[in-house]
Amino acid sequence: MYKIMVVFGTRPEAIKVAPVIRTLLEEPLFDLVTVATAQHRYMLDQVLKIFDIVPDVDLDMLTPRQTLGGMTEHILTALGRLLPSSRPDLVLVQGDTTTAFAASLAAYYHRIPVAHLEAGLRTGDIWSPYPEEANRRLIACLSALHLAPTPASAANLLAETVPARSVVVTGNTVIDALRWAVTSTGDYGDPALDGLGDHTGPVLLVTAHRRESWGPPLRRVGTALAELAAAEPELRIVIPLHRNPVVREALLPPLGEHANITVVEPLDYAGFCQLMNRCDVILTDSGGVQEEGPSLGKPVLVMRDTTERPEGVAAGTTRLVGTDPTVIVPEVRSLLHDRAAYQRMAGAINPYGDGLAAGRVAAALAHFLGAGPPVESFVPGRSAAVPPPGTVPGHRLPDPVGSGHGGSGHVGSGHRASDHRVPVASE
Ligand code: UD1
Ligand code: UDP
């Protein structure tokens, strides 16, 4: 048996490791230890609940307005205590957060090999996204096994002289999670969105949170949304808002009072996937949503100047629009009114995964540890058929907790633009 420690801390990490955790739990070869740093709390717990995951260790580290240095120090100290006693054979980290970077550094200090899930994404600019581009480069230096989601991300690693034998193209596990979540038949998980089914006009889904956009860029996004709401009365703009008070303080004031803007708390993953399915256009700076939107055939306008996910741009389903209202507003309006422009962006493509990534990750870990054959790479468009909805290889994910959203399965209280509230406490 091989002991694998999986460390995660934020919402997107949890979504992307959830299918891997469920797969490893069912594989007798592995003794799994799950560690939540809880860099996020509310947004992490939403994911853990819906995927029915209870971490073995919860560092419960979130503090309001936490700093990069403070988080790194906390994780290094806490894992510095945990790793010598737990002594895993391998530590698995995901993506490019402070949790992923600090956990990989802690493992390295204890001479424990690191496997990096979602390895090789690059913009080429260490300030964009900040600090994620630096984090993912640093993690690559510390990793022994690089689990690249796409051939392009694997090529980035090889260009940095990472040995080819340590790189496996797995597909992105977010597609495994997405394929499971869209099978939930529930509502969006917030009463403020209950009327969305009867709304006959278009829906614009908006998420924003990036650190490099804090302050003026996020204020410009708020202005762009207010302009769109005024110019397009039939349009319903829905903003599931990140819990970060810095984001709320910048984005909410410029929104003004518009009956067709609805601001809600973060939705749980099943509810958010329902909303992605329902919406017509997505406006976002999120990494994960850039992968999910194209898979659902939704045009994704990316409020950033760079992207580490060029596959969607190349396929024409994602487009960089930055944070300038004079670009955002006409881009959205063009998609709302120009059918041909919409159709050009709306073709469903799936360059990021086939729903079988978690199985490849488990097989790659086994091979790395000397307990299995090499893994056949994910090749976009040429891989095995996608399994039926609700399944991922080798196991079945639990039914979405609260799917149906009729009971206590969802969190968050909806409120309209006229009732903006900036929470004072973080959780
Ligand atoms: C983090 C990651 C980013 C990732 C994003 C996903 C880093 C440096 N950043 O950014 O890569 O894209 O998560 O959302 O690792 N907060 C709450 N409750 C929550 C979550 C956050 O109150 O559940 C508030 C807290 O005040 C916290 C602040 O948001 O201090 C910022 O959280 P943090 O994890 O530092 O950064 P994010 O911007 O969320
Ligand atoms: N998401 C969610 N609820 C929301 C908004 C987003 O579950 O209200 C999911 C989304 O589907 C995606 C992930 O959260 O899988 C993206 O998280 P985020 O944008 O915070 O981080 P990033 O991907 O930019 O690192």
Side-chain angles (χ1 to χ4, degrees), residues 201-205 228 232 235 279-284 297-302 316-321 327-347:
V203 174
L204 174 68
L205 170 59
L228 276 167
E232 300 285 348
L235 177 67
C279 80
D280 296 278
V281 178
I282 299 175
L283 183 61
T284 187
K298 303 296 175 179
V300 180
L301 299 175
V302 182
T317 58
T318 58
R319 183 179 301 155
L320 295 177
V321 295
V327 178
I328 291 175
V329 173
E331 286 279 357
V332 173
R333 297 193 76 189
S334 155
L335 288 172
L336 297 179
H337 297 292
D338 181 342
R339 198 169 179 76
Y342 187 89
Q343 289 306 334
R344 276 197 298 276
M345 284 192 80

Side-chain angles (χ1 to χ4, degrees), residues 369-401:
L369 293 163
V375 183
E376 200 177 317
S377 285
F378 162 66
V379 180
R382 278 214 289 122
S383 288
V386 170
T391 61
V392 295
H395 73 286
R396 190 181 160 78
L397 284 163
D399 288 336
V401 176

